[in-house]
Amino acid sequence: MRHSLIRKSEALNPTPIYAVNEASVDSVVDQLGSAAGNWVARHKYKGEPGRMLVVPAAEGSEVAVLYGTDEEGLSSTFASGSLVTALPSGDYIFETSFPDIELGLLGFALSSYRFNRYRKSGGDLPRLVVPDDVDLERLCTVLDGVELARDLINTPANDLGPEELATAITKLFEEHGGKGEVIVGEALLERGFPMVHAVGRASANAPRLADFSWGDEKAPKVTLVGKGVIFDTGGLDIKPASAMTLMKKDMGGAANVLGLASMIMAAKLPVRLRVIVPCVENAISGTAFRPGDVLPSRKGLTVEIGNTDAEGRLVLADALALADEETPDLLIDMATLTGAARVALGPDLPPFYTEDDELAEEIALLSEASADPLWRLPLWQPYMKYLDSKIADINHINTSGVGFAGSITAALFLSRFVENTAAWVHFDIYGWTPIDKPGKPSGGEAQGIRCLFDLITEKYSS
């Protein structure tokens, strides 16, 4: 994906791309010559937003690309991404008048992503020249992180089980000089992760928890926790087939956390980074945990199981409790947690939850600035009563609220396992793009991590 962007010194006679609109198209075409004018007239091209036309220039000896935009700028956030499939392979360059050049570069690069692990490449894609005043290194750092997240989500569970996910985490940290450990199988009980063990014990692939750190131990502590459920059958509360189709993406929280970690370490941000990922498969066998079971937790709270298909919050709870023991300066968790979040906000707008108003405002501002949409929902405390249990300290699902507020009650459940860390934020992401659109090829998706990379950079680089 990053290789779709090049410096001018690497380009082979790049073709110019001119942004035009209905008001400017005639003046731009006049500069390109009569051959371009005749071609535009023949195709009745008027610079409509999103419409592209390749025209002859300099009396037919060369070509140029006209790309329609609004008068205010790009017709949509990543509209330039449509050029990836519209243009033949070759090198191209935005003319200086092109609006929002950095956003245009990002949209083009994000649209250049292809997951070709299981099939032959579709051939060479066009490349785009990056101006000298754009920080290409930082842009590629972001693109590498997004690509890592997308690749992990797109990989099916037969090739990405709990062991392989933990191995990917180990490899990432080793590449950057980090260190850590992976706790496997029965050792999870010995080390105090009973809910991680309970969720993963029915699988032939042993559950595990990866815990890795990087950076100066004296630097501000940033801890990332990701839901690593590599496949979710629903357990004994089994999902229907239609709901199981995309469950390879149920480790999307872990994938996004790793994408963000990749950005942080590649940029050498001045933080002490810690990543905790429970890696499990929610399978069915004679050892599966059951509805009505009461599980102990690392926090000491007992948890009544209302539905085995709500397993993600269980493994996250143990991982968050571990993270909270260290009281990091910033604790972030990401998870493909609830269908309720998608019902409320759709696939492209993940909700986030935090009690820290200042942090929420920073996230909202940077979300808009980075074109990485996020929306705050409330940790509405009156709904905590929906999690009451008659036989345990808490039920992990909404048992008394008629099924309402599923995403909020899931976040409230997690909040019971974070008491020492003031700056905690939970993201209930989808991790998937269902329909191709500019900047977002269908399949696994990175959500929120470009915004969070900017947040961590701004908070701690000064």
Side-chain angles (χ1 to χ4, degrees):
M1 185 163 59
R2 63 182 293 173
H3 302 298
S4 62
L5 303 179
I6 56 174
R7 287 296 189 191
K8 194 168 187 177
S9 59
E10 304 172 68
L12 301 173
N13 191 27
T15 300
I17 301 175
Y18 293 87
V20 296
N21 55 55
E22 294 187 28
S24 68
V25 63
D26 290 340
S27 63
V28 172
V29 170
D30 286 345
Q31 297 172 32
L32 295 175
S34 59
N38 292 336
W39 197 251
V40 165
R42 178 179 296 182
H43 287 82
K44 298 180 181 180
Y45 181 77
K46 300 183 181 300
E48 300 92 333
R51 187 182 172 196
M52 186 201 80
L53 183 67
V54 179
V55 300
E59 301 302 326
S61 62
E62 297 177 353
V63 298
V65 175
L66 304 180
Y67 182 69
T69 65
D70 289 332
E71 290 189 31
E72 298 79 18
L74 295 174
S75 56
S76 62
T77 304
F78 294 132
S80 59
S82 64
L83 290 166
V84 173
T85 52
L87 292 170
S89 62
D91 295 341
Y92 298 84
I93 185 169
F94 287 145
E95 285 301 301
T96 54
S97 60
F98 199 95
D100 305 316
I101 281 184
E102 288 199 39
L103 193 60
L105 292 167
L106 181 62
F108 185 92
L110 291 173
S111 291
S112 299
Y113 172 81
R114 298 291 183 272
F115 183 66
N116 291 321
R117 177 169 175 173
Y118 300 99
R119 62 181 183 181
K120 293 181 180 179
S121 171
D124 294 335
L125 294 174
R127 304 190 302 177
L128 192 59
V129 171
V130 178
D132 291 337
D133 59 350
V134 172
D135 188 344
L136 180 57
E137 183 178 357
R138 181 176 174 85
L139 186 53
C140 286
T141 292
V142 170
L143 293 173
D144 285 345
V146 170
E147 185 167 46
L148 174 60
R150 287 175 171 179
D151 280 351
L152 287 170
I153 297 170
N154 284 327
T155 303
N158 61 309
D159 283 332
L160 188 75
E163 181 178 3
E164 289 80 9
L165 179 56
T167 299
I169 299 167
T170 303
K171 180 180 177 182
L172 176 64
F173 274 81
E174 286 179 348
E175 287 174 353
H176 292 281
K179 59 184 180 181
E181 64 174 335
V182 179
I183 305 167
V184 183
E186 296 303 306
L188 290 165
L189 294 175
E190 300 166 9
R191 297 284 295 275
F193 302 100
M195 292 202 293
V196 177
H197 180 271
V199 170
R201 72 192 184 204
S203 173
N205 303 303
R208 55 205 69 210
L209 182 133
D211 182 3
F212 282 79
S213 297
W214 169 90
D216 185 350
E217 292 184 1
K218 297 179 182 178
K221 293 179 172 61
V222 175
T223 298
L224 312 178
V225 175
K227 174 187 171 184
V229 179
I230 60 97
F231 194 87
D232 179 20
T233 65
L236 293 176
D237 287 311
I238 191 169
K239 295 176 182 289
S242 60
M244 227 183 286
T245 304
L246 286 182
M247 280 302 101
K248 70 175 185 179
K249 80 170 185 67
D250 213 24
M251 38 63 67
N256 274 269
V257 158
L258 293 179
L260 177 56
S262 169
M263 297 177 193
I264 291 169
M265 292 188 285
K268 295 180 171 58
L269 297 188
V271 299
R272 204 283 272 149
L273 173 68
R274 187 181 187 187
V275 168
I276 303 171
V277 176
C279 308
V280 302
E281 179 180 13
N282 189 21
I284 300 172
S285 75
T287 61
F289 75 119
R290 298 161 288 256
D293 282 358
V294 174
L295 301 181
S297 69
R298 182 177 185 85
K299 188 72 175 176
L301 295 172
T302 54
V303 180
E304 182 183 6
I305 301 305
N307 188 309
T308 63
D309 194 21
E311 83 300 327
R313 66 199 71 181
L314 298 174
V315 298
L316 281 176
D318 272 354
L320 284 170
L322 173 65
D324 189 56
E325 289 164 12
E326 191 184 39
T327 318
D329 297 279
L330 176 62
L331 174 56
I332 295 168
D333 81 75
M334 306 189 83
T336 53
L337 206 60
T338 71
R342 256 45 67 197
V343 171
L345 298 177
D348 299 335
L349 184 59
F352 70 95
Y353 298 84
T354 181
E355 294 283 22
D356 188 324
D357 292 338
E358 183 177 342
L359 176 60
E361 184 175 357
E362 290 179 275
I363 291 171
L365 291 172
L366 290 170
S367 167
E368 183 174 358
S370 61
D372 198 3
L374 297 163
W375 196 265
R376 187 187 187 186
L377 289 183
L379 284 163
W380 185 249
Q381 292 302 317
Y383 289 164
M384 188 71 83
K385 67 178 180 294
Y386 291 166
L387 301 173
D388 286 349
S389 167
K390 294 181 179 179
I391 63 169
D393 293 321
I394 191 171
N395 198 302
H396 77 138
I397 67 166
N398 178 352
T399 59
S400 58
V402 201
F404 293 142
S407 182
I408 294 175
T409 52
L412 287 170
F413 173 79
L414 294 178
S415 73
R416 292 288 300 271
F417 297 85
V418 181
E419 63 178 6
N420 299 315
T421 307
W424 166 62
V425 56
H426 160 62
F427 293 83
D428 188 345
I429 67 171
Y430 190 48
W432 193 263
T433 297
I435 302 172
D436 272 324
K437 60 189 73 175
K440 295 185 174 186
S442 60
E445 188 56 274
Q447 293 185 302
I449 61 176
R450 291 186 293 104
C451 168
L452 289 173
F453 179 53
D454 289 346
L455 173 77
I456 294 166
T457 300
E458 287 196 9
K459 283 181 77 72
Y460 301 113
S461 288
S462 59

